[in-house]
Amino acid sequence: MPLDPHVSRFLDMMALGRADGLTLDGRRGAIRGLARLAGLTPEGVGSCDLVLPGPTGPLAARLYAPEGCEGGPGLVYLHGGGLVTGDLDTHDGICRVLAAAGSFRVVSIDYRLAPEHPFPAALDDALAATDWVAAHANEVGIDPARLGIGGDSAGAGLAARVCQERRGGAIRAQLLICPVLDVHGARASRRDFARGYFLDEATIQGDLAACGPAAAAPSPRLSPLREADLTGLPPARIHTAEFDPVRDEGAAYAERLERAGVGAAHTCHGGMIHFFYGLGRLVPRGQPILSAIARDFGECLRGASTRPILPAHP
């Protein structure tokens, strides 16, 4: 399938405004600006800010509560951004769409970012936050028996690793959207879409360097696809994009999970790029796809769904 025409126009716009060598502060500001420009804010979802105990101090978080879903499923959400950018506000619209369409509560976590806090600070925060939500689910209106974890991009990689390190625990299902699962990998999609498709290889390598010495050597803590044992993990919904350098990592993880006896439904969204799900106003197809992803995951948490609702692209 060719690039979606709105995606193509977005990439043209990004190419015209591209600034190689953008400082980290500049990049963080650009992501916030893109979120304001493109993000959606569906009605019927309330929110409140929380403070959770973290491994080295308080962690900011935000609870999203759709009308009428007290005591139902919940999702711990870890935002994308290469572990160096992104925050509660850049992914506010994404979390609202997930909560509204999926009819579940979302707890979004503002984990520490590199380079100020080198890896594994982000993973340590993700683990601590997940443990807290699992232990206090009833207090935030979530059924502890129907708790999922998810994220996008690097946040999806964190979510996958939390499932590996907390296997057999409270997490019932995992939602991985355009996941970064092997930062040291060299699969075909990393070569085919190395430049010009929003997320590029130079950015991946720059983010990896910013994560510090603990990220220099391949490790399943940063690259969950490299975990040798995938048995006993919660079922997964994995969504990738056709023109995304990390596409093949998500597909490979779904295949390995299935071989390990873990239910894994993988959907590759044709014509899309990395972060398509956050480009609602700029890429109109993105929002209904994200809503469908949320509905399917909500059914998964409720135990009603065993198959993806969207066909996988070849």
Side-chain angles (χ1 to χ4, degrees):
M1 179 181 293
L3 274 171
D4 177 276
H6 292 93
V7 168
S8 184
R9 282 195 288 272
F10 169 72
L11 292 176
D12 288 343
M13 178 183 74
M14 294 295 293
L16 287 172
R18 183 179 178 87
D20 291 315
L22 196 67
T23 66
L24 181 57
D25 284 343
R27 186 172 158 213
R28 288 172 174 171
I31 293 297
R32 287 191 289 269
L34 179 60
R36 288 192 297 270
L37 176 66
L40 298 169
T41 54
E43 297 180 355
V45 178
S47 66
C48 65
D49 288 344
L50 306 174
V51 179
L52 311 185
T56 62
L59 282 178
R62 187 170 295 160
L63 172 66
Y64 298 88
E67 295 174 355
C69 78
E70 178 83 20
L75 172 70
V76 175
Y77 194 82
L78 302 164
H79 67 77
L83 306 184
V84 302
T85 69
D87 54 34
L88 297 179
D89 293 333
T90 60
H91 285 63
D92 183 78
I94 293 170
C95 289
R96 290 182 186 277
V97 171
L98 289 170
S103 297
F104 50 72
R105 293 192 167 207
V106 176
V107 183
S108 181
I109 309 302
D110 197 20
Y111 57 83
R112 289 172 292 164
L113 299 176
E116 297 90 341
H117 304 282
F119 190 82
L123 178 59
D124 291 342
D125 288 355
L127 289 163
T130 302
D131 291 344
W132 187 93
V133 174
H136 298 267
N138 287 320
E139 297 174 28
V140 292
I142 293 172
D143 178 357
R146 293 186 284 177
L147 177 63
I149 190 170
D152 66 284
S153 193
L158 291 176
R161 186 59 190 175
V162 169
C163 290
Q164 293 173 0
E165 297 200 10
R166 294 294 188 266
R167 75 182 76 200
I171 299 301
R172 175 161 181 172
Q174 53 185 313
L175 174 63
L176 311 180
I177 305 175
C178 291
V180 179
L181 296 169
D182 187 4
V183 291
H184 293 278
R187 288 170 174 79
S189 61
R190 286 279 288 269
R191 300 189 300 272
D192 294 344
F193 309 116
R195 183 176 174 87
Y197 293 90
F198 186 57
L199 176 64
D200 56 32
E201 186 65 22
T203 298
I204 294 172
Q205 293 304 319
D207 293 347
L208 178 60
C211 284
S219 162
R221 301 206 82 205
L222 185 59
S223 296
L225 184 56
R226 292 177 180 258
E227 171 61 44
D229 180 12
L230 300 184
T231 59
L233 296 177
R237 294 292 189 270
I238 300 175
H239 294 268
T240 59
E242 184 180 7
F243 294 90
D244 185 349
V246 298
R247 178 196 66 197
D248 292 352
E249 299 170 23
Y253 198 56
E255 182 180 344
R256 285 198 58 212
L257 286 171
E258 288 282 1
R259 290 204 307 267
V262 177
H266 169 226
T267 302
C268 182
H269 299 280
M272 295 291 109
I273 58 170
H274 198 80
F275 199 61
F276 73 89
Y277 44 86
L279 300 175
R281 290 196 187 101
L282 301 175
V283 178
R285 275 186 61 211
Q287 193 274 334
I289 292 174
L290 182 61
S291 295
I293 288 171
R295 287 192 296 271
D296 178 58
F297 194 67
E299 292 174 2
C300 178
L301 287 175
R302 294 178 182 91
S305 177
T306 58
R307 297 172 61 87
I309 57 173
L310 295 169
H313 188 276

